[in-house]
Amino acid sequence: ESSQEVTFFDTNLRDPSFMKWSKFESILAIGTLKGNLLLYNHVTKRRIPIMGKHPGKIVSGVWNSYNQLVLVSEDGSLTVSNVAGDTLNQVNLTNTLSEISFVPCGKKGNELQQANDNILCGISDGASLSLFEIDNSNDLQTLDFDVKNGDIVSYEWVDTDFVIVGWSRGKVAAYTVLVNTFEIVRERWSH
């Protein structure tokens, strides 16, 4: 017989806008509409509130393989923080990104390997995907799609050069992409 335990805790935050568990520790990051951040360690029950982490709404985030949290806010700022919430790097982007993820760098067996924790991808301006190198903040490359498909609602990297994209008007398509130049080589299929 298996049992499940539900843990409740008060965040003391108003208007959460983002949540993401670390892949390597039992740490939950919660961002708010006002740019505040709470890091909750489920093992120790410790809460680390960081007020004003971003000047505006935290829209997306992802943990990297070094257990660092990358966050983006609606004003286009990007931060990289450690598990204590200390800012290690901050960059101002030219575009606001949402739904950020790391671009994979290959496969090990059937599992995608995360990139070098430097190349991020995110939805930009609804109809584009943008590729961004954290260490080279001026190197934002955009992959544009036809606006007649609507806004991009989701995407998933299947391999280092293969991405599936879904739009608000129901189209789903898979593309071969050159990550170095971020160009669409060809559409593999669409529905």
Side-chain angles (χ1 to χ4, degrees):
E1 180 177 314
S2 68
S3 66
Q4 296 181 2
E5 180 182 329
V6 177
T7 303
F8 295 94
F9 69 97
D10 187 1
T11 64
N12 293 321
L13 295 175
R14 300 191 85 166
D15 303 319
S17 59
F18 157 82
M19 287 192 313
K20 190 74 155 190
W21 280 102
S22 166
K23 296 177 186 177
F24 304 100
E25 289 185 52
S26 293
I27 298 174
L28 177 65
I30 304 171
T32 71
L33 293 176
K34 293 190 177 192
N36 300 324
L37 176 68
L38 176 76
L39 296 172
Y40 172 70
N41 185 316
H42 181 65
V43 174
T44 65
K45 308 297 186 225
R46 183 174 180 218
R47 290 177 279 232
I48 303 172
I50 298 122
M51 307 311 279
K53 182 68 171 180
H54 281 267
K57 176 184 175 183
I58 296 173
V59 294
S60 187
V62 64
W63 291 89
N64 68 18
S65 63
Y66 301 108
N67 214 25
Q68 297 168 337
L69 179 63
V70 180
L71 295 172
V72 291
S73 64
E74 67 183 353
D75 72 333
S77 62
L78 177 145
T79 56
V80 180
S81 304
N82 63 19
V83 293
D86 303 319
T87 301
L88 306 173
N89 190 5
Q90 184 165 353
V91 174
N92 290 320
L93 304 172
T94 54
N95 299 13
T96 300
L97 300 180
S98 63
E99 302 301 321
I100 61 172
S101 67
F102 287 103
V103 177
C105 65
K107 285 188 174 182
K108 185 176 185 180
N110 288 331
E111 284 189 34
L112 282 176
Q113 297 300 298
Q114 188 164 296
N116 61 4
D117 296 318
N118 190 39
I119 302 174
L120 284 172
C121 183
I123 299 172
S124 172
D125 300 325
S128 302
L129 289 179
S130 290
L131 188 72
F132 175 76
E133 289 185 79
I134 295 173
D135 294 341
N136 185 4
S137 60
N138 296 325
D139 194 18
L140 186 68
Q141 299 174 4
T142 303
L143 184 59
D144 295 314
F145 297 95
D146 195 336
V147 292
K148 72 178 181 186
N149 297 326
D151 288 340
I152 297 172
V153 293
S154 187
Y155 70 95
E156 186 75 31
W157 287 93
V158 181
D159 206 341
T160 55
D161 63 347
F162 184 36
V163 64
I164 298 174
V165 183
W167 288 270
S168 60
R169 294 195 178 132
K171 181 176 180 178
V172 175
Y175 298 93
T176 300
V177 177
L178 293 176
V179 175
N180 295 350
T181 58
F182 215 48
E183 296 175 66
I184 296 175
V185 176
R186 69 182 172 93
E187 184 176 296
R188 288 186 177 195
W189 54 262
S190 65
H191 296 282

